[in-house]
C-alpha cells in the first residue's frame, strides 16, 4: 500500500508542480502586489484596498460585471435549453448535425465573432435593416455601446459553452423515465419540470458556470461591443495596469474580480448539486 501511494504521488507530482507554478504562484504574487501602498511599489499598506472598498463607484462596477454575467447566463439558458430538448428528440443524424452547429463557433476566434457582431448590430447592420424594413422603428436602433447589444453578442459567443455539457447530460437521460412519467398521468410540462430539468441540472449548472465565468471576464467583447460607455472590472484592470501603470490597484481590482466571480460560481454549483440531489433522491 505504501509503495502504491508513493507511485500515485509520483505520478501526480508533475501536474501538481505545474499547477503551483503557473496558477498558485501568480495568484500569490498578485495578492502581494495589492498590498503596496503606492504606484512605484516602494512601501506597504492598505491604501489600494481602502481606495477600492470605500468608493461606491467600484462597487457599482463589481455589481455591473456580475449582472452582465447573470444576464448572459439567463439568455443562453433560455435559448440553449430548448435546443437541448430538440437535440434529445432528434434522430441520430440530426443530432450529429446539431452538435456540429453547436461546436462550429468554437472553431472561430472570439475576436472575429465579436467584430462580426459590430456589423450585425451597427446602425447599418442586419438587425437595423430588418427592423426598418418591417416598419418596427422609424430610425435605426442604438445597439452598439449598450448592455443589450453586449448581452446579445455574448449569448451567441458563449452558447457553445452551455450546450456542450448540457447536451452530454441530456443524451444520457433514460427515456423510460419520461415514459413512466407520462404513463402516471403527468403532462408534458410537468414531466419537463419534474423529471427532465432535474436530471439535466448537472449539465445545465456546468454550462452556466462556464458561461458566467467567461462572460464576466470577456474583455474583448466588453471593450468592442460595450465601448467606453460601459465600465466592467476587466476593462478597469487593463486601464489601471496598462494605461495608468498603477499595478497595485490593478492587482486589487483583479482579486476583487476573482473573489466575486468565484462566489457566484459557488452559488450556481451549489444550486446544481441541490437540484441533482432532488432528482436522484
Amino acid at each position: 500500500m505504501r509503495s502504491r501511494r508513493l507511485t500515485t504521488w509520483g505520478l501526480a507530482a508533475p501536474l501538481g508542480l505545474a499547477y503551483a507554478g503557473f496558477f498558485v504562484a501568480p495568484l500569490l504574487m498578485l495578492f502581494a502586489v495589492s498590498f503596496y501602498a503606492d504606484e512605484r511599489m516602494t512601501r506597504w499598506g492598505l491604501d489600494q484596498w481602502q481606495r477600492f472598498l470605500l468608493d461606491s463607484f467600484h462597487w457599482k462596477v463589481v455589481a455591473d460585471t456580475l449582472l452582465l454575467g447573470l444576464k448572459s447566463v439567463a439568455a443562453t439558458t433560455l435559448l440553449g435549453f430548448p435546443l437541448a430538448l430538440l437535440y434529445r428528440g432528434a434522430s441520430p443524424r440530426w443530432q450529429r448535425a446539431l452538435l456540429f452547429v453547436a461546436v462550429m463557433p468554437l472553431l472561430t476566434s472570439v475576436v472575429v465573432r465579436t467584430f462580426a457582431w459590430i456589423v450585425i448590430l451597427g446602425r447599418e447592420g442586419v438587425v437595423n435593416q430588418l427592423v426598418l424594413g418591417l416598419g418596427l422603428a422609424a430610425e435605426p436602433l442604438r445597439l452598439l455601446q449598450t448592455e443589450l447589444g453586449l448581452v446579445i453578442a455574448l449569448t451567441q459567443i458563449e452558447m457553445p459553452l452551455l450546450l456542450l455539457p448540457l447536451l452530454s447530460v441530456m443524451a444520457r437521460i433514460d427515456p423510460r423515465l419520461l415514459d413512466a412519467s407520462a404513463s402516471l398521468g403527468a403532462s408534458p410540462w410537468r414531466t419537463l419540470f419534474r423529471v427532465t430539468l432535474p436530471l439535466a441540472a448537472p449539465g445545465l449548472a456546468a454550462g452556466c458556470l462556464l458561461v458566467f465565468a467567461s462572460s464576466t471576464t470577456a474583455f474583448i467583447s466588453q471593450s468592442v461591443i460595450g465601448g467606453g460607455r460601459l465600465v466592467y472590472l476587466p476593462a478597469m484592470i487593463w486601464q489601471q495596469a496598462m494605461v495608468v501603470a498603477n499595478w497595485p490597484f490593478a492587482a486589487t481590482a483583479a482579486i476583487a474580480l476573482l473573489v466575486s466571480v468565484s462566489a457566484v460560481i459557488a452559488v450556481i454549483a451549489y444550486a446544481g448539486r441541490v437540484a441533482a440531489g432532488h432528482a436522484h433522491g
Side-chain angles (χ1 to χ4, degrees), residues 135-272:
L136 300 177
E139 58 183 13
L141 302 177
R142 186 171 177 273
L143 296 174
L144 292 178
Q145 297 188 357
T146 64
E147 190 176 51
L148 175 61
L150 179 57
V151 171
I152 293 173
L154 286 175
T155 300
Q156 186 273 331
I157 292 172
E158 311 296 347
M159 183 65 73
L161 300 181
L162 177 82
L163 284 178
L164 289 179
L166 182 57
L167 294 181
S168 176
V169 173
M170 292 283 282
R172 296 198 301 267
I173 295 179
D174 191 344
R176 293 175 298 181
L177 296 175
L178 307 183
D179 295 337
S181 176
S183 66
L184 292 174
S187 65
W189 286 105
R190 186 175 180 85
T191 300
L192 173 64
F193 287 105
R194 297 298 298 271
V195 180
T196 305
L197 187 57
L199 291 175
L204 182 61
C208 291
L209 292 180
L210 295 175
V211 171
F212 180 80
S214 181
S215 58
T216 52
T217 57
F219 171 71
I220 297 297
S221 300
Q222 293 172 6
S223 300
V224 174
I225 303 295
R229 298 175 61 91
L230 303 177
V231 181
Y232 299 105
L233 271 177
M236 176 185 290
I237 295 169
W238 178 84
Q239 182 186 47
Q240 293 295 323
M242 306 305 296
V243 179
V244 184
N246 188 347
W247 286 90
F249 189 75
T252 303
I255 293 174
L257 176 63
L258 176 64
V259 172
S260 58
V261 170
S262 299
V264 178
I265 285 177
V267 173
I268 296 176
Y270 176 76

